[in-house]
Amino acid sequence: MTSRPRADDAHPYLRAANAGVRHHTRALSTPAPPRPADRAHLDVLHAHLTAVHQLLDHLAETTRPPHPAAGRHLATAHTRLWQATSEVHAAFHLLPSTTPTQASECQPERLPEGPPVLTICQRHLTAGHIVRRKTTPTDLRAHTTTCVR
């Protein structure tokens, strides 16, 4: 007797990411006093968003030839998720630094000084290059894909 494979077995790393999201969601619902987001949390959230963004990109590309309408919807989700990722990146730069050595400006030409100050910028710029190659300027005009902070 064979069991039916789970839907998320095609992308097993998503199970770990989902477990992390569930953990943070449970932590938010505890009776402890609410804490505002900090740079470390936004860096982790940005990493999750860019990973899902890459997955949506892959799914849209592989779904579009046999199912064009579904592929278009996935491509739209891809673009909207990029917008959310850009906003998380912008929020990261508006939060105060936890250490005096962390600059609040994006400086992707410099080597990483450690997490999270430049890792988020480099990840964002790398994802932005991919987005620009696969998305029309009209789709992207509502948001910026460069570090301007």
Side-chain angles (χ1 to χ4, degrees), residues 20-146:
V21 169
R22 281 191 302 271
H23 168 75
H24 287 286
T25 302
R26 277 192 302 270
L28 290 174
S29 64
T30 61
R35 291 184 354 217
D38 61 17
R39 283 182 157 206
H41 286 112
L42 291 185
D43 184 46
V44 171
L45 178 59
H46 188 271
H48 281 293
L49 290 174
T50 54
V52 174
H53 185 260
Q54 290 172 345
L55 176 62
L56 272 174
D57 181 46
H58 173 75
L59 292 174
E61 290 297 316
T62 57
T63 303
R64 189 172 289 148
H67 307 288
R72 282 192 300 274
H73 281 285
L74 290 172
T76 299
H78 176 261
T79 300
R80 290 181 180 163
L81 185 59
W82 174 249
Q83 292 170 335
T85 304
S86 292
E87 294 303 323
V88 169
H89 177 253
F92 172 89
H93 286 292
L94 294 175
L95 291 176
S97 174
T98 57
T99 63
T101 61
Q102 288 182 344
S104 63
E105 298 176 1
C106 266
Q107 299 171 346
E109 68 280 356
R110 293 178 52 194
L111 293 174
E113 294 175 347
V117 71
L118 290 180
T119 56
I120 190 172
C121 298
Q122 290 176 341
R123 182 186 324 113
H124 193 72
L125 290 172
T126 299
H129 290 298
I130 294 167
V131 167
R132 277 186 234 109
R133 278 190 270 134
K134 296 187 175 197
T135 310
T136 67
T138 303
D139 293 335
L140 295 176
R141 76 171 181 251
H143 60 281
T144 181
T145 58
T146 60

